[in-house]
Amino acid sequence: PTMLMGATLPAIAKWPAFALGASAGRPRDDAEAAGLLYMANLAGGGTGMLWSVPDAKSIAPLPGVDRVAMFSPDDKLIAGCCQQVTVWTRKGEPWLALTSAALTGTPEVVTFSADSRRLAVGLGGQHPAFAVYDLESKQQLARYQEKYSGNATAIAFAPNGELFVALRDTIEVYDPATWQLARTLAPKLGPIHRLAFSPNGRFLAVS
């Protein structure tokens, strides 16, 4: 089942949305008017590809990307996983690379914060976990590991910077200033696999 929850979060004027998913992602912002369209394509062989849509030409390979590829909201970076987690520039140049050993877990999903300054990584394993990285300093800001079994695919930043994480059947909300648990939501859906915010941050889709 899927639930749409009203979240008491402040709205923002504009939060660019990007197409994410198992096959492609493309930015939807002012770059479209300039004809600068890009597509991150995933491949089953474990190597994705960055494409220029107007030219129908590949720009750079995205190695290790076989599950998720997404553009940052400011349209400057691309993140992919899940053989490993890598962040590239729009030209396909590596910016940050995180192996499973460095993450101390198997990456299952990645997501950018709305201001594009942070990257959250969901980590699978016997005890699922998540980690948050600062994309300017390339340093880990926080890491939390569940004591019990669960999922690591339901992670989303709210537009106000809060991190929503559902490793089991409840949603934990973390304060971006301290990375301490701020509150817990209980949608009563059973195990949660995906979270997604509306652009204004007022609604949260849970499945």
Side-chain angles (χ1 to χ4, degrees):
T2 300
M3 177 180 292
L4 186 65
M5 302 178 66
T8 56
L9 301 174
I12 61 173
K14 182 182 179 182
W15 185 29
F18 299 85
L20 316 176
S23 60
R26 84 166 189 158
R28 293 179 294 179
D29 63 1
D30 294 340
E32 286 192 344
L36 299 177
L37 302 182
Y38 292 84
M39 180 176 69
N41 184 62
L42 311 189
T47 298
M49 186 67 68
L50 179 64
W51 288 82
S52 171
V53 176
D55 301 328
K57 294 181 179 179
S58 61
I59 298 174
L62 304 177
V65 177
D66 61 359
R67 191 177 305 175
V68 177
M70 63 175 60
F71 292 88
S72 62
D74 66 2
D75 201 27
K76 294 181 179 180
L77 297 172
I78 305 160
C81 81
C82 284
Q83 291 187 5
Q84 67 175 30
V85 173
T86 308
V87 179
W88 295 269
T89 67
R90 276 285 295 269
K91 295 181 180 180
E93 300 166 341
W95 177 257
L96 173 67
L98 301 167
T99 64
S100 295
L103 291 164
T104 321
T106 303
E108 293 191 354
V109 71
V110 293
T111 187
F112 284 104
S113 61
D115 61 9
S116 303
R117 295 173 58 191
R118 293 165 176 172
L119 184 79
V121 184
L123 302 169
Q126 184 176 1
H127 302 290
F130 73 86
V132 181
Y133 288 82
D134 181 275
L135 290 172
E136 183 175 356
S137 68
K138 304 179 184 179
Q139 298 299 309
Q140 187 180 97
L141 299 176
R143 190 181 191 280
Y144 172 82
Q145 186 162 339
E146 178 62 68
K147 297 179 180 179
Y148 308 100
S149 62
N151 305 300
T153 57
I155 296 179
F157 278 103
N160 68 355
E162 289 183 320
L163 181 62
F164 283 56
V165 180
L167 299 180
R168 291 174 61 80
D169 57 356
T170 59
I171 302 170
E172 296 180 340
V173 184
Y174 290 84
D175 185 335
T178 62
W179 299 111
Q180 297 297 309
L181 181 63
R183 62 187 186 278
T184 301
L185 307 177
K188 298 180 180 180
L189 290 174
I192 299 171
H193 301 279
R194 291 289 187 275
L195 299 174
F197 274 95
S198 64
N200 62 12
R202 295 181 59 191
F203 297 97
L204 174 66
V206 182
S207 65

